[in-house]
Amino acid sequence: MLKVAVLISGGGTNLQSLIDAAGQPGAPFQIQQVISNKAGAYGLERAKEAGIETAIVDHKQFDGRQPFEDALMAEILPGTNLVCLAGFMRLLTDHFVNKWLDRLINIHPSLLPSFKGLDTHQRAIDAGVRFGGCTIHFVRPAMDDGPIIAQAAVPILQGDTAEELARRVLTEEHRIYPLAVRLIALGRVRVAGERVEINNAAPPAAAMINPPG
Ligand code: GRF
């Protein structure tokens, strides 16, 4: 059973998708802890509701990134196999990242390596690309960088607003985050340099074309 800690800053809908997946019969992972850097994060309520241990490590109470990251590392329960960032809005430096290398994953609401950073959906619309999406990747010290585990592509529609696109992408986030954690828990994920190899991955059905005609 893979033991997972989830780091959040906000509403925690991705956290919820992981909690729900971990609750399925035969799930190969369990969420044993949720840590927030914000005391008021609604995700903490979700965790409590599910009977999961919570902790708050408020970055504002530390003088610099390294002491904050030390406190974060100290809070993570012994025996944790994987740390999942789910809407965790602090950049982690190599101090933390190297300690958890290849055991630390993130979700980002774009098709990386495009649109790193914030405001991804508006930037995708403005750029005129035909697909937005989301990515689960192993974390590296550079922002929104690292070997990609899973992605979902979402067609961008004529007249889409960032809010509408975000809503449709979020639905896919809730599918691919549990998928990625499950693949890791089953031992099917291997980091090979800059890439990830998935053992026994079925090929996807077909290409998506936008516009279709
Ligand atoms: C998601 O869009 C995620 O991709 C991004 O922050 C948002 C968090 O949403 N990193 P939630 O807190 O999981 O609802």
Side-chain angles (χ1 to χ4, degrees):
M1 183 68 85
L2 190 88
K3 295 196 172 75
V4 177
V6 184
L7 272 52
I8 61 164
S9 302
T13 65
N14 279 291
L15 165 65
Q16 189 68 55
S17 74
L18 292 172
I19 292 173
D20 293 346
Q24 295 297 312
F29 63 93
Q30 75 183 63
I31 315 295
Q32 66 167 5
Q33 183 184 28
V34 173
I35 306 176
S36 173
N37 68 310
K38 290 198 174 161
Y42 182 67
L44 290 169
E45 302 306 317
R46 297 179 187 273
K48 285 176 194 152
E49 184 72 24
I52 297 167
E53 194 168 316
T54 63
I56 297 161
V57 182
D58 182 352
H59 60 279
K60 287 192 247 99
Q61 296 185 347
F62 297 90
D63 190 16
R65 288 187 191 270
Q66 194 150 324
F68 167 62
E69 293 180 2
D70 282 336
L72 211 49
M73 284 191 271
E75 199 62 56
I76 296 171
L77 291 172
T80 300
N81 306 113
L82 180 73
V83 174
C84 294
L85 308 180
F88 183 70
M89 300 306 283
R90 301 301 296 170
L91 284 177
L92 293 170
T93 71
D94 50 2
H95 180 62
F96 186 100
V97 171
N98 289 337
K99 181 85 190 293
W100 282 92
L101 198 75
D102 294 348
R103 299 180 300 154
L104 173 64
I105 66 176
N106 180 44
I107 184 158
H108 180 75
S110 78
L111 292 173
L112 290 174
S114 292
F115 308 116
K116 297 177 179 188
L118 297 173
D119 206 15
T120 53
H121 303 301
Q122 189 60 55
R123 287 161 57 213
I125 290 168
D126 292 346
V129 295
R130 293 299 186 198
F131 292 95
C134 46
T135 302
I136 312 292
H137 65 97
F138 285 104
V139 175
R140 294 292 180 262
M143 181 186 64
D144 298 327
D145 184 48
I148 290 169
I149 304 164
Q151 294 185 305
V154 175
I156 296 179
L157 309 178
Q158 202 85 35
D160 246 345
T161 62
E163 292 69 29
E164 285 161 1
L165 178 58
R167 187 158 7 95
R168 298 204 309 282
V169 171
L170 195 60
T171 301
E172 304 310 317
E173 293 182 33
H174 298 160
R175 294 171 63 192
I176 66 168
Y177 217 158
L179 166 72
V181 175
R182 187 181 151 76
L183 289 172
I184 291 170
L186 293 174
R188 292 175 56 192
V189 173
R190 193 173 76 85
V191 179
E194 299 302 305
R195 309 190 337 164
V196 167
E197 285 169 5
I198 310 281
N199 196 20
N200 263 324
M208 277 202 292
I209 298 176
N210 181 24

